[in-house]
């Protein structure tokens, strides 16, 4: 291997995919040039190769995978986005899927297995070596989105009486058989119970004759296979972990989770919160029109219902509006500002809950802060909308009604923006889901009721 | 060090802080028991100690830091949330801050320096060893939120002609002087230019006499000090990195970034997107009422303005509403559903842009998908609101107007939900910021204009 000083070959902020290379790829698929395809993809980093393949239209992608068959490297397959990976697994012959399962770490192999239909999964599993099969079936037995699903069963463990020299010699003897990526070594007793961890950095700086038991540290985080992935991600972030051991109830080491998988989980959970807050069930770049409709129509349906609740409130005051049409002109202002204030509080609360900053006392302080700042903003904007209404309609009573309704709606929005997510959390529900529908409905009802109600009392 | 099989000492999903311990801590601060405070905190993991301190009220926290002074461990200080860390740095005497700077890795030391006012920073820097001082000043010279600010200047480098044995012996000789956490070794030429990287796992499994140049790999990601932190985080995620080298324009190795800092950046960027989409500038668990008002009032001000634009549209049709009050009852339904559809599209687009899934062709496909699915949902909900209006008001023309306005607003919402964020991105702006104000204003205007306009034409 010869080396020249590496210069940046990959410019920052450029698109992920080289358009010339993409055109060549499309031509190669057209010409069924399997050799070019295989060689080009194998020369690239799997993440880059996956980006390139994902830039193809879905049909061309399928064709490419069909051409490649078993020559599609497993590490590219696992880098593909969900929808593309599922399509690839669908298209690949059983033998190619089986050899991918064989090559991949167990957590990645489990991901592929999840993509398969039951019957095909059984068939492919039967062809694997019994030991691999048992391991993969165990992985699948854990619930989705738990540590058990995310962990790999490939890790490096050593007995406590070994010395540093022992461990290094052993690693050299195993060589390529070791997992490709690991950051620490686990020290176990003869019953496979986890005693401690030794980071590779510590192993490296410690003299050969020191015993592992003298340099091992308590594992920072005690992960269990049934632990929710969000909890696992939280531990990784809190303790700045690169990897962590997973132990069963008997304290036996059963797997290892690495930070790259946790980064994906964090991104997923964050995306879920953002989409939920804006009433989308799920989204992916490769979604079809039908996926999109399915992910959004249910929430629009809920909104249809809540919007007519607001209408019903307004219709209580039809007689008032008939006499003073200005009310119809102004009422959306109260609802819009109130809704905006409510969602602001909601966004902050959902973030704080995700970051676990709203336990106990902190929750009480947050409620107080939200309501007080709603009062302050309410006063500011009550005066604002009041003045604008006064200038526009030259009616002091109307301006006062507008201001008073605005203030009432802001305070109400402050309460609902924090209490709705806290309430959902206490009920064990995800505070991001459905919160915004609740909050917006509550503020709309308050806005229309207070504004039109006050107008009926004061102005008629 | 004796070891017993580790049992989970920390239950999952429990609150971060033990309430009994918290009470003891408050008592200790009351009784000014500095020794208990120092010993208790030092025994805990810094991340846990920071959580415990953050559970105190801000005033008690200040008191605790004042009591501890130089005995507050630097690694707890750096684990504190921004607002608490800033308060602590404010309260600590110069000598304590200087010794913390000395103890911390350069990236963390830079974070502390940023908290200081200019004059105090100068004073404290002057007291440091010249070499440390120069290093920290160089760190501060990079812009905020760049790789230069995030990188640490502590890393492990070796010349290419060294063997594995050489490198390990050297690491053992340095022992405690090595950085506490590192995952790879950088191979450099005599001019400090980066030639390649060797992961510690590779180092471990390779025989002693192999030369580093034979096992080093090209760095996956070429980071520059001036690179935006979002780009750096993206590279970490894409290539599943635990750490990465940073080189200057001459290819010289100047620093190292580790994944734990990138995880924080990802969380920050995600939080920013979510808060921006819901019109909040920034938020932190320790925000005061005043912080809260400042973070939200500007967007409410913008919304005040846009809400009156909607009012102005409605006021064009005052005469129509005066004759048919049902219009005032129904118009918020069109606006609410249209706004919801627009924000759904917006949420999906903002996520896809953050994930870089909307480059080139993908953007065109996304526009097509958004508009088509808006058409489908528009048809569904046009029929829905039309039927409900028909049942309610028994007026087929009103129902038809309602349905037609709904369909027009949905299609319009589909366009704006995807084109507004794509447009902001093309202009180099953050697509999450201000998008929702634009989209909601556009859909409101369309909703009121189409509904009231059609009503005026058809029903009068």
């Amino acid at each position: 291997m010869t080396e020249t000083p590496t210069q940046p070959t990959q410019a920052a902020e450029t698109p992920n995919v080289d358009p010339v290379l993409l055109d060549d790829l499309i031509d190669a698929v057209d010409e069924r040039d399997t050799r070019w395809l295989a060689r080009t993809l194998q020369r690239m980093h799997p993440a880059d190769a996956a980006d390139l393949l994902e830039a193809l239209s879905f049909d061309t992608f399928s064709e490419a995978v069909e051409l490649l068959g078993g020559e599609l490297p497993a590490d590219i397959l696992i880098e593909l986005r969900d929808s593309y990976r599922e399509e690839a697994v669908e298209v690949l012959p059983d033998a190619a899927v089986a050899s991918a399962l064989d090559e991949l770490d167990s957590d990645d192999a489990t991901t592929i297995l999840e993509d398969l239909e039951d019957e095909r999964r059984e068939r492919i599993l039967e062809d694997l070596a019994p030991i691999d099969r048992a391991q993969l079936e165990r992985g699948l037995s854990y619930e989705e989105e738990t540590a058990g699903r995310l962990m790999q069963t490939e890790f490096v463990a050593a007995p406590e009486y070994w010395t540093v020299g022992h461990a290094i010699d052993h690693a050299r003897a195993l060589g390529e058989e070791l997992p490709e990526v690991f950051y620490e070594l686990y020290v176990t007793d003869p019953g496979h119970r986890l005693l401690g961890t030794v980071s590779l950095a510590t192993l490296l700086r410690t003299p050969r004759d020191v015993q592992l038991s003298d340099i091992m540290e308590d594992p920072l985080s005690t992960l269990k296979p049934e632990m929710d992935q969000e909890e696992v991600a939280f531990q990784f972030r809190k303790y700045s972990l690169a990897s962590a051991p997973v132990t069963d109830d008997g304290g036996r080491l059963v797997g290892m989770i690495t930070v790259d998988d946790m980064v994906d989980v964090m991104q997923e959970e964050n995306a879920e919160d953002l989409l939920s807050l804006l009433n989308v069930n799920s989204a992916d770049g490769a979604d079809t029109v039908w996926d999109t409709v399915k992910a959004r129509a249910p929430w629009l349906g809920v909104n249809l219902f809540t919007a007519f609740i607001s209408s019903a409130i307004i219709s209580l005051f039809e007689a008032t509006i008939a006499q003073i049409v200005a009310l119809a002109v102004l009422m959306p202002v109260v609802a819009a500002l109130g809704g905006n204030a409510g969602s602001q509080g909601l966004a902050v609360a959902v973030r704080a809950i995700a970051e676990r900053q709203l336990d106990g006392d902190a929750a009480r302080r947050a409620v107080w802060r939200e309501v007080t700042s709603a009062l302050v903003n309410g006063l500011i904007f009550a005066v604002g909308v009041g003045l604008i209404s006064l200038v526009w309609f030259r009616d002091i009573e109307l301006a006062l009604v507008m201001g008073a309704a605005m203030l009432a709606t802001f305070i109400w929005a402050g309460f609902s923006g924090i209490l709705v997510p806290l309430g959902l959390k206490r009920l064990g529900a995800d505070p991001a889901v459905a919160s915004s529908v609740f909050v917006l409905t509550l503020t709309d009802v308050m806005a229309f009721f207070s504004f039109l109600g006050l107008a009926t009392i004061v102005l008629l």
Side-chain angles (χ1 to χ4, degrees), chain A residues 230-300:
Chain A
E230 206 170 345
E231 171 68 24
V232 179
F234 187 80
Q235 304 269 342
F236 264 76
R237 192 172 162 218
K238 178 170 177 182
Y239 296 114
S240 301
L241 304 174
S243 64
V246 181
T247 56
D248 67 13
D249 287 334
R252 276 178 301 269
L253 183 62
V254 291
M256 169 175 83
I257 297 183
T258 51
V259 66
D260 53 320
D261 294 325
M262 282 308 106
V263 164
D264 291 340
V265 167
M266 287 177 215
Q267 290 292 106
E268 251 175 58
E269 301 279 348
N270 278 309
E272 260 179 48
D273 277 356
L274 185 148
L275 293 171
S276 301
L277 269 180
L278 291 155
N279 300 329
V280 183
N281 283 336
S282 72
D284 180 90
D287 275 352
T288 62
V289 171
W290 179 232
D291 294 330
T292 305
V293 170
K294 269 195 305 186
R296 304 187 197 175
W299 286 111
L300 290 167

Side-chain angles (χ1 to χ4, degrees), chain A residues 86-157:
Chain A
E86 285 160 17
E87 173 70 13
V89 169
E90 181 100 23
V91 168
L92 286 175
D94 285 4
V97 175
S99 91
L101 291 178
D102 200 46
E103 260 176 67
L104 291 169
D105 281 340
S106 66
D107 55 334
D108 293 334
T110 310
T111 305
I112 305 283
L113 279 176
E114 284 174 46
D115 296 338
L116 299 170
E117 289 184 11
D118 291 353
E119 206 188 318
R120 194 169 173 220
R121 187 192 298 147
E122 279 309 307
R123 205 168 60 219
I124 291 177
L125 276 173
E126 266 171 36
D127 281 349
L128 293 180
I131 188 161
D132 293 339
R133 186 186 168 170
Q135 214 171 45
L136 290 177
E137 279 176 342
R138 186 155 150 217
L140 278 174
S141 73
Y142 298 112
E143 277 192 65
E144 277 185 50
E145 311 208 330
T146 61
R149 276 290 175 101
L150 291 163
M151 73 189 188
Q152 54 181 82
T153 47
E154 297 84 6
F155 49 77
V156 186

Side-chain angles (χ1 to χ4, degrees), chain A residues 304-316:
Chain A
L304 176 70
F305 175 73
T306 60
F308 274 104
I309 295 181
S310 303
S311 285
I313 303 282
I314 300 170
S315 75
L316 296 177

